[in-house]
Amino acid sequence: MTALHDHPHPSRFRATRWAALAFTALLLAALAVLVPGSPVQGSGSAVASVGDVSVVEGDTGTRVVRAPLTLSEPSPGPQRVVVTVAAGTATVGVDFKKAYSRTVAFKAGQTSKTVSVAVLPDTIAEGDETVTVTLSSPSSGLTIGVGTATVTIRDDDTPPP
């Protein structure tokens, strides 16, 4: 390589070299944004997930159990996902209060919410029962990781002899 002082046009050589370095840095930064998991990847990479939970049924009083709903990282703006609570092996109106579907909104910077299920008490020995929580229809830039969770209602009643 020619040394700067040996080059016939040192100022043009210096300007060309700086332009090449600037272009390379810009190219590397642009590629980093496209690579999944890159620390400089832009917004829109948050992943929504829902977690399993369990609750003891009880003999009196409604118990509310809350399944965790999380984003893998804070989003720079609002994000939404539809949550559906439905019967698994449990019966609506007998084992849990109601099935429903609603949109859950995360504000900018939020990473956690909960999904509530009201569990109804009884004194019948029937074994454990389940309610299913499902995520769907994420807003633009949000993906679903763990999209289905189970709420287990643990039976605490003793079967007759």
Side-chain angles (χ1 to χ4, degrees):
M1 185 165 131
T2 306
L4 181 59
H5 63 279
D6 295 333
H7 198 276
H9 301 286
S11 61
R12 194 175 334 153
F13 175 79
R14 204 174 294 124
T16 303
R17 186 171 179 197
W18 280 110
L21 287 174
F23 177 76
T24 302
L26 182 62
L27 181 62
L28 289 173
L31 287 174
V33 170
L34 299 175
V35 175
S38 167
V40 292
Q41 186 173 8
S43 65
S45 60
V47 178
S49 293
V50 64
D52 296 335
V53 292
S54 67
V55 63
V56 175
E57 174 182 68
D59 294 338
T60 62
T62 300
R63 296 176 185 216
V64 177
V65 64
R66 291 173 175 81
L69 175 57
T70 59
L71 293 184
S72 61
E73 62 185 63
S75 65
Q79 295 286 358
R80 291 175 303 285
V81 65
V82 173
V83 174
T84 301
V85 173
T89 59
T91 303
V92 176
V94 175
D95 300 308
F96 71 108
K97 197 166 189 172
K98 67 178 181 175
Y100 64 89
S101 186
R102 69 178 176 97
T103 300
V104 174
F106 287 87
K107 294 178 184 175
Q110 278 187 314
T111 58
S112 65
K113 296 272 191 171
T114 58
V115 178
S116 298
V117 177
V119 176
L120 301 173
D122 71 29
T123 56
I124 302 166
E126 57 200 345
D128 295 347
E129 297 166 308
T130 61
V131 176
T132 303
V133 179
T134 307
L135 304 181
S136 63
S137 305
S139 57
S140 178
L142 182 65
T143 58
I144 295 176
V146 177
T148 302
T150 301
V151 174
T152 303
I153 303 169
R154 302 254 180 241
D155 185 37
D156 62 345
D157 301 305
T158 307

